């Protein structure tokens, strides 16, 4: 079994970006800008957003946090997005999900102009991904591909089974793995909670990608010997420590790991990559917007 070290790969990406941003500064150019909009006080969202602000600042980008009250109206949020759409200092606009129930998520994701959509959630960017056009790809799925590439895990013609069909992970990662490109070009099966016998699918996977948000759900008997297991889950479970919780994945790491050829831990696996991919997208949006 080989452990996939997302923390190390993510840190190397950030070091590279830091140099790129420094070069822009030395040339007297504007640096890439990212605005993160957080509505409400969901503790997990707050912690993710803090990480985004810290990392974007550390690589030298212009980084701004817009914190809005949980009662903020949809109209007010749309107005804010519109002002950043037109603000040339910012290349990336990220609206942290989930949003409070009174706000229509689709309407918000549609409002960020595709050129600044560093989450890759706008239908135009989703359409480009599905049709194989270069664009801004969703961060967590892009992080999965980056890890496969870093560890030179062959994917061409391999059976990738994705468990989960969310717009944030399941659907985009399946589409990325399907692309006719290196470290993709796979045979892809997507399965989800309606499967009568989920393990009949998961046991066929050469590469199993799990994103269902259920703690330690995938057990050893659901995984083929020698498979590559990519665990996208981050679930808070109660624990007897000062924080009162620990984060665990969707995979029962203890029992599954010995059967695998490669596996991502939680924490320190895919989750560690998401922010670095967001910064990469912000830099890419900057280059596209400035005509580079
Ligand atoms: N909430 C959970 N994951 C994500 C993500 O990748 N982007 C945003 N904006 N919100 C999230």
């Amino acid at each position: 079994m080989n452990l996939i070290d997302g923390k190390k790969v993510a840190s190397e990406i950030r070091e590279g970006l830091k140099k790129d941003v420094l070069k822009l500064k030395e040339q007297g150019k504007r640096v890439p800008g990212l605005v993160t909009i957080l509505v409400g006080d969901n503790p997990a969202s707050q912690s993710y957003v803090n990480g985004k602000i810290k990392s974007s600042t550390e690589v030298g980008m212009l980084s701004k946090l817009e914190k809005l009250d949980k009662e903020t109206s949809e109209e007010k949020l749309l107005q804010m997005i519109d002002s950043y759409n037109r603000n040339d200092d910012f290349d990336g606009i990220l609206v942290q999900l989930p949003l409070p129930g009174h706000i229509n998520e689709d309407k918000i994701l549609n409002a960020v102009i595709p050129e600044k959509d560093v989450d890759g959630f706008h239908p135009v960017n989703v359409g480009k991904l599905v049709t194989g056009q270069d664009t801004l790809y969703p961060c967590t799925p892009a992080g999965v591909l980056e890890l496969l590439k870093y560890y030179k895990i062959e994917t061409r013609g391999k059976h990738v089974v994705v468990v989960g069909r969310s717009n944030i992970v399941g659907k985009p990662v399946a589409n990325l793995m399907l692309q006719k490109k290196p470290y993709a070009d796979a045979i892809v099966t997507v399965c989800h909670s309606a499967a009568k016998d989920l393990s009949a699918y998961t046991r066929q996977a050469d590469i199993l990608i799990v994103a269902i948000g259920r703690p330690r759900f995938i057990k050893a008997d659901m995984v083929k010997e020698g498979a590559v297991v990519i665990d996208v889950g981050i679930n808070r479970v109660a624990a007897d420590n000062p924080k009162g919780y620990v984060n665990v994945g969707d995979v029962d790491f203890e029992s599954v790991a010995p059967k695998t050829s490669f596996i991502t831990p939680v924490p320190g696996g895919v989750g560690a990559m998401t922010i670095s991919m967001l910064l990469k997208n912000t830099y890419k949006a900057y280059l596209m917007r400035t005509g580079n």
Side-chain angles (χ1 to χ4, degrees):
M1 183 271 286
N2 297 288
L3 205 59
I4 295 177
D5 188 348
K7 218 171 147 179
K8 180 178 90 174
V9 182
S11 142
E12 286 181 16
I13 291 170
R14 287 199 302 274
E15 284 311 310
L17 283 169
K18 208 170 173 173
K19 287 187 188 134
D20 292 335
V21 174
L22 193 62
K23 223 175 280 167
L24 294 172
K25 273 188 188 155
E26 285 168 359
Q27 293 166 353
K29 290 182 178 161
R30 175 178 77 80
V31 297
L34 171 71
V35 59
T36 305
I37 305 174
L38 173 65
V39 188
D41 47 17
N42 177 310
S45 289
Q46 282 202 352
S47 143
Y48 294 145
V49 163
N50 289 343
K52 289 168 186 178
I53 302 295
K54 181 167 171 271
S55 299
S56 47
T57 306
E58 272 171 12
V59 299
M61 291 179 177
L62 168 66
S63 181
K64 188 161 182 201
L65 170 62
E66 290 282 7
K67 253 180 123 163
L68 298 174
D69 193 80
K70 64 174 183 294
E71 320 288 343
T72 302
S73 70
E74 188 178 276
E75 196 192 341
K76 173 110 189 286
L77 180 55
L78 287 168
Q79 276 169 5
M80 178 176 274
I81 292 169
D82 184 53
S83 78
Y84 282 106
N85 279 340
R86 290 183 283 106
N87 184 335
D88 279 337
D89 289 338
F90 291 90
D91 306 281
I93 303 172
L94 182 141
V95 183
Q96 186 65 29
L97 304 178
L99 290 166
H102 66 277
I103 297 177
N104 181 328
E105 216 158 87
D106 285 341
K107 214 165 164 182
I108 299 304
L109 298 181
N110 286 336
V112 175
I113 53 170
E115 292 81 1
K116 295 192 180 188
D117 170 35
V118 284
D119 257 329
F121 292 163
H122 190 286
V124 164
N125 287 326
V126 176
K128 285 188 172 181
L129 162 58
V130 174
T131 54
Q133 300 177 56
D134 187 42
T135 191
L136 299 165
Y137 301 125
C139 304
T140 303
V144 171
L145 265 77
E146 196 77 16
L147 288 176
L148 294 170
K149 194 163 151 184
Y150 189 93
Y151 285 87
K152 299 189 168 57
I153 296 168
E154 185 54 63
T155 55
R156 182 159 189 265
K158 293 287 166 68
H159 190 188
V160 170
V161 176
V162 177
V163 189
R165 55 173 153 181
S166 70
N167 290 334
I168 294 181
V169 182
K171 283 185 222 167
V173 84
N175 278 294
L176 278 170
M177 293 310 301
L178 205 52
Q179 288 194 322
K180 206 167 179 175
K181 285 183 183 167
Y183 296 100
D185 216 2
I187 314 303
V188 181
T189 299
V190 184
C191 49
H192 47 78
S193 53
K196 292 208 169 61
D197 178 10
L198 192 66
S199 64
Y201 299 99
T202 59
R203 276 200 296 265
Q204 292 179 38
D206 299 314
I207 300 169
L208 181 64
I209 303 175
V210 192
I212 47 173
R214 293 176 70 172
R216 303 189 184 104
F217 181 80
I218 301 289
K219 307 288 186 196
D221 63 353
M222 300 171 78
V223 178
K224 182 167 77 175
E225 193 74 43
V228 174
V229 174
I230 307 291
D231 185 354
V232 187
I234 303 176
N235 308 286
R236 281 189 178 193
V237 298
D240 191 14
N241 66 17
K243 274 202 245 171
Y245 68 88
V246 284
N247 284 324
V248 303
D250 292 347
V251 174
D252 183 29
F253 186 88
E254 299 276 294
S255 74
V256 172
K259 281 187 93 172
T260 64
S261 55
F262 285 91
I263 187 166
T264 59
V266 177
V270 177
M273 292 291 290
T274 300
I275 291 178
S276 289
M277 300 314 288
L278 168 68
L279 302 181
K280 255 185 113 158
N281 267 353
T282 305
Y283 186 66
K284 187 175 181 181
Y286 169 92
L287 294 180
M288 293 190 313
R289 293 188 62 248
T290 53
N292 288 283

